[in-house]
Amino acid sequence: MNNIELGNLIYPSLPHTPEEYEAIYPPRKLPAGAMVTRLGPSPTGFIHLGNLYGAFVDERLAYQSQGVFYLRIEDTDEKRSVENAVETIISSLDFFDIRFNEGVTPEGDIGDYGSYTQSQRKDIYQTFAKQLLADGMAYPCFLTEEDLNSIRSEQEELKITPGVYAGWSRYRDWSSSREIADEITKRIKAGDEFVIRLKSQGKPNASAEETKRHEINDAIRGKLSVPYNFQDVVIIKRTGIPTYHFAHVVDDHLMRTTHVVRGEEWLSSLPIHIELFEALGWELPVYCHTAQLMKIDESGNKRKLSKRKDPELSLDYYRSEGYHPASVREYLMTILNSDFEEWRAENLEADINEFNFTMEKMSGSGALFDLNKLNDVSKNTLLRTEVSEIACWLRDWSREFAPEYAYVFENMDTLEKLLDIGRHDARPRADLVYARQIMDFIGYFFDESFKIQDEYPDEVRSDAKTILEKYLETYNYSDDNGAWFAKVRSIASELGYALKPKDFKKNPQDYKGHVGHVSSVIRIAVTGKTQSPDLWTIQQIMGEDKVRQRISACLKED
Ligand code: GLU
C-alpha cells in the first residue's frame, strides 16, 4: 500500500478533489488591498466582550478597505454547542451595530463561499486530509486513551515534552513496516476507530539553539519568532470531524480570508497552524492576535476578565443595563486605538466610522477594561446623541428589559424635555449614562417612582414649612427663570438667609444660612433630592398642578 492508496482506503468516495474545491471557491475579486476578515465564534451560547472586541476589529478592517467581513460558525466541538446560540450571536452583535457582509444569517447563508457552518463542511476537510495522507504528511493513528496515558507517563519519567510525535506513535512510520501497514489496512476495513494526525516535519526536543523558527509578522504584535511545531497533532477526530486547528486552516484558505483576527490565547498553537498551511501548500493569512481584556479588580490586581467573576464580560450585561450601543462602540475604540480619544476631541460631532482605525495603534499587551471609563465615555456619547433618539432607545430597552418603567414612556414629548435639561448649557450637563441609571436619574419626575430621598439641610430645617408656604403663595407658573429666582431670593432674605453663599461663609453669625439652603427645601419638595437639574425648568415641564401638589404634600407631613 502506498500513500495514495491509504488515502483512498480511508476516504473512498468524496464528492470533489482539492483542485475542484479551489475552483469552487476561487480567489475573490476585490479591489487591491481589500481585507477579508471573519468572526469564527463557537456556538456556546455565551457571547462576550472579547467577541465584540474582535468583531469590531474585523468589521473596521473590512469596511475601511472595501473588503468582506463574514460570520463562520465553528461548531466542531459538539460538546460545547447549545441551541439558539447562533441567533444569540447574530442578534447581540447586530445590537452593537456589527454587521456581516457574508456568512451565516438567521435566514440562511449569504455568499459564495459557504457553507459557513463547519459541521456542514465535513467533506471539504476530509478531502484535504486525504491530500495530506496522499502526500505522506498525515497518517491514521489507532492509539487509544490508555496508550496515550502510558506514553505520557513514560515521557514524564524521561522528562521530555509530552505528546505524540516522532518515535511515539507506531503508526507514524507505517510505510516502512509491512506489519503495521497490514494492521492499518485490516483495522480500517474492520471499522476500528482512529484519528488522523499530521506527520510533523519539526525536530522534537531540539535545544533552544537548534529549534528552527518561523519569522512572521503579526499585524498587531509585529515580528514574531515562532518555533517549529513537532507535535503530530490530530487533524481529524475519531468522529470524522476536524479539530479547530485543521478546520480554520482549510476554511480561511478556501474562504479567501486575508486577515485572521483572534485572541492571544491562540498564539501558542500558531506553530501548528503555520505547519498546516505549509503542508497544504497555502499562503499564510496575516495573523492579528489581539490582547486579552484585563481589569483591575477590587484588590488592585490586574487580571483577565473572567466569565465566573465578572458579569461585565457578557454582552448581555450591557444590553440589560441599557448601555447605548454607540457608547460601547465608542469605548471599545478607545481601548483599541490609542489615538482615538485625541481624534474624538478634535472631531466631536463626527461619525465614529470616519475615524481611521489601524492595527499599528493596537496594543499587544493586556487591554485594560474599566467600567468607570465606559461610563464617562457613555456620558459624552449620549450628549452627542439626539434626545429623540435617546428617548426611543430607552423605550425599546424598557420593553425588552424593564417593562416596569412603561409609565415613563406614556408621554414621549415630556420625556424628551426631561432628558434634554441642561444639555445645551455653556457647560452642558452630562447626566445620562445608561438606561437603568437614567431611569433612576429621572425617577423624581414620575409619581410612580417619586419619593423624598434627601433631608433638608440643617440650616433650614426649622424654617422648611414656612419656606414652602411662602413659596406656594408666590409661585406663578408664568414667571421666567429670572423672576422665579427673584422670588426665592426674597423668601430667603425675608427669613434671614444670605443672598450669596459667600456672605454666609464670611459672617455665619449674621444669617441662618443662604439662598441655596432655601432653594434646597423647594428642590427636595419637588424632586425629592438636594441635587437635580435646573429646578425652574423641571417645574415648567411638570406643570403648575403637579408642582403645587408636591409642595402641598410636603406641607402636610409632620
Ligand atoms: N472558534 C474559535 C473560538 O470561538 C475562534 C478562533 C478564531 O477566531 O480563529 O474561540
Side-chain angles (χ1 to χ4, degrees), residues 38 40-42 74 244 260-262 266:
R38 86 302 193 272
S42 300
E74 304 205 330
Y244 164 77
V260 170
V261 179
R262 61 182 184 183
W266 293 107

Side-chain angles (χ1 to χ4, degrees), residues 102 120 157 243 261 341 379 384 548:
E102 193 177 299
Q120 292 166 17
E157 249 164 61
T243 54
V261 179
E341 281 183 276
K379 283 179 189 169
R384 291 194 301 271
R548 288 190 178 278

Side-chain angles (χ1 to χ4, degrees), residues 38-44 48 51 58 72-76 80 118 244 248 252 260-263 265-266 273 287:
R38 86 302 193 272
L39 188 72
S42 300
T44 59
H48 56 79
N51 296 124
D58 284 316
R72 179 171 76 217
I73 297 301
E74 304 205 330
D75 57 349
T76 55
R80 291 172 69 211
Q118 288 185 330
Y244 164 77
H248 106 273
D252 282 331
V260 170
V261 179
R262 61 182 184 183
E265 66 276 19
W266 293 107
H273 304 155
Y287 279 102

Side-chain angles (χ1 to χ4, degrees), residues 214-316:
H214 306 272
E215 303 295 327
I216 74 152
N217 254 322
D218 183 292
I220 296 172
R221 286 151 201 273
K223 268 207 182 350
L224 292 181
S225 173
V226 185
Y228 269 53
N229 168 58
F230 62 82
Q231 296 275 354
D232 288 353
V233 290
V234 174
I235 57 173
I236 303 280
K237 299 185 254 187
R238 284 172 211 282
T239 49
I241 303 276
T243 54
Y244 164 77
H245 303 309
F246 193 55
H248 106 273
V249 166
V250 171
D251 290 346
D252 282 331
H253 170 71
L254 289 182
M255 295 178 181
R256 310 293 170 179
T257 312
T258 65
H259 289 70
V260 170
V261 179
R262 61 182 184 183
E264 68 182 331
E265 66 276 19
W266 293 107
L267 269 175
S268 57
S269 34
L270 190 54
I272 299 168
H273 304 155
I274 299 177
E275 185 170 11
L276 285 171
F277 271 101
E278 284 185 348
L280 289 158
W282 295 335
E283 200 185 318
L284 208 63
V286 179
Y287 279 102
C288 320
H289 289 96
T290 58
Q292 291 272 9
L293 287 174
M294 314 284 280
K295 78 180 263 184
I296 307 273
D297 70 10
E298 305 65 40
S299 35
N301 297 324
K302 196 166 164 180
R303 63 164 171 78
K304 274 197 301 191
L305 279 173
S306 118
K307 184 170 167 181
R308 201 167 40 82
K309 293 190 216 145
D310 306 310
E312 73 268 30
L313 182 59
S314 162
L315 286 190
D316 286 346

